[in-house]
Amino acid sequence: MRLLRIAVLATALTPIAAVAAAAPTGAKPAPRLSGKGRLGFVASQGNAQGKSANAALNLSYVSGPWKHSLSLAALYGQSLGVVSAERWTAMWQSNRKISADAYAFGSLRYEHDLFDGFQYQGSAAAGLGY
């Protein structure tokens, strides 16, 4: 019976010990910069010749309660010597952590597309997220 009590007590105290071990030490985490990118090119020949190129870069910087994100993307296409696609996109967003689950944000976005219904689009936004 005593062994059962010890097992039950140990099982009950395990989550408390895990939370205590994960408690912050008061030191601020070091800023982090991360990112990823891609680059592509396609050339085709035959009855029609075509070329297509694309590139993208996504960067993220986290420092304390702040997170900043930058995204850049480009697409270019040509078929039979005629440009068939040209799009450039840029986006910046900053988030400020309010609590563990809530944050405030502001963002800017610009897109230039010669083959869309709109030649360019720009937007600015701000708000709260959860």
Side-chain angles (χ1 to χ4, degrees):
M1 185 62 131
R2 182 175 177 177
L3 187 59
L4 179 62
R5 287 182 190 167
I6 293 172
V8 169
L9 184 61
T11 304
L13 292 178
T14 300
I16 295 170
V19 169
T25 61
K28 292 171 71 175
R32 293 180 303 142
L33 177 65
S34 61
K36 61 182 177 178
R38 73 173 183 259
L39 186 61
F41 178 75
V42 175
S44 62
Q45 296 183 358
N47 292 343
Q49 294 182 357
K51 298 176 197 170
S52 175
N54 65 68
L57 178 66
N58 296 320
L59 296 173
S60 180
Y61 179 73
V62 178
S63 177
W66 287 95
K67 177 181 179 185
H68 305 284
S69 301
L70 172 69
S71 296
L72 302 171
L75 171 67
Y76 181 82
Q78 188 178 46
S79 181
L80 296 172
V82 177
V83 175
S84 57
E86 187 174 339
R87 181 174 58 228
W88 313 92
T89 305
M91 192 275 299
W92 174 270
Q93 181 168 332
S94 291
N95 297 351
R96 171 71 161 87
K97 190 180 285 191
I98 298 171
S99 70
D101 296 326
Y103 62 94
F105 71 91
S107 70
L108 299 171
R109 184 174 187 280
Y110 177 79
E111 181 177 319
H112 178 84
D113 191 344
L114 295 178
F115 295 89
D116 193 5
F118 302 98
Q119 187 174 9
Y120 67 92
Q121 297 179 50
S123 64
L128 299 173
Y130 181 80

